């Protein structure tokens, strides 16, 4: 648990270093991972982030103001709003992902050791 908390702390610090809150970083990840290809609905994001709809809207408002995401109306259902990463959002997320990958590589042996010990338990 200590190693996982350490990685979460690293992740929060990395997000803040590029001017994002940890929740904003998670929102960018959620949009990228959305099942609809390159867009996500507000409902999908709210579910992924475990937030209420209005909190998700506020979060997306701040990311849109930072030009990291943009909204469009769903052509199939004009009541739904789709959110996608902008080029700047893609670059920001790629940079953060590279830093996170490097950190995971750095702590790989520690994590593997923990997994091995857990698997060895009766």
């Amino acid at each position: 648990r200590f190693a996982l908390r350490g990685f979460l702390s690293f992740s929060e610090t990395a997000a803040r270093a590029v001017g994002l809150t940890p929740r904003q970083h998670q929102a960018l990840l959620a949009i990228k991972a959305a099942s609809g290809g390159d867009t996500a609905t507000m409902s999908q994001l709210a579910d992924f982030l475990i937030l209420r709809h209005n909190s998700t809207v506020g979060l997306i408002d701040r990311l849109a103001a930072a030009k990291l995401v943009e909204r469009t109306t769903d052509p199939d259902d004009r009541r739904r709003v789709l959110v996608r990463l902008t080029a700047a959002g893609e670059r920001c997320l790629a940079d953060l992902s590279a830093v996170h990958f490097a950190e995971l590589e750095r702590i790989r042996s520690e994590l593997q050791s923990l997994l091995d010990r857990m698997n060895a338990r009766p």
Side-chain angles (χ1 to χ4, degrees):
R1 287 186 182 152
F2 178 75
L4 291 175
R5 283 194 311 267
F7 182 74
L8 289 175
S9 176
F10 166 85
S11 180
E12 291 170 359
T13 300
R16 287 188 179 101
V18 297
L20 296 177
T21 66
R23 186 70 79 181
Q24 288 171 326
H25 177 215
Q26 291 296 310
L28 295 179
L29 287 168
I31 295 164
K32 186 71 173 180
S35 60
D38 64 346
T39 62
T41 66
M42 288 291 183
S43 295
Q44 287 174 316
L45 295 174
D47 289 346
F48 183 89
L49 298 167
I50 311 171
L51 289 175
R52 292 178 187 229
H53 185 270
N54 61 328
S55 298
T56 305
V57 171
L59 178 61
I60 297 305
D61 285 346
R62 291 184 290 281
L63 288 169
K67 308 265 192 263
L68 297 175
V69 302
E70 64 183 14
R71 292 180 175 100
T72 58
T73 303
D74 185 339
D76 297 326
D77 183 349
R78 309 245 347 127
R79 296 169 296 172
R80 289 186 355 167
V81 173
L82 302 176
V83 182
R84 75 170 194 84
L85 297 176
T86 62
E90 290 277 2
R91 282 191 305 276
C92 181
L93 187 56
D95 291 347
L96 275 170
S97 294
V99 170
H100 281 74
F101 183 76
E103 178 64 7
L104 286 170
E105 282 292 328
R106 188 186 73 74
I107 64 172
R108 176 200 297 243
S109 63
E110 180 182 356
L111 293 174
Q112 187 62 57
S113 175
L114 290 168
L115 289 170
D116 292 344
R117 280 187 279 167
M118 290 186 74
N119 287 331
R121 290 185 179 170

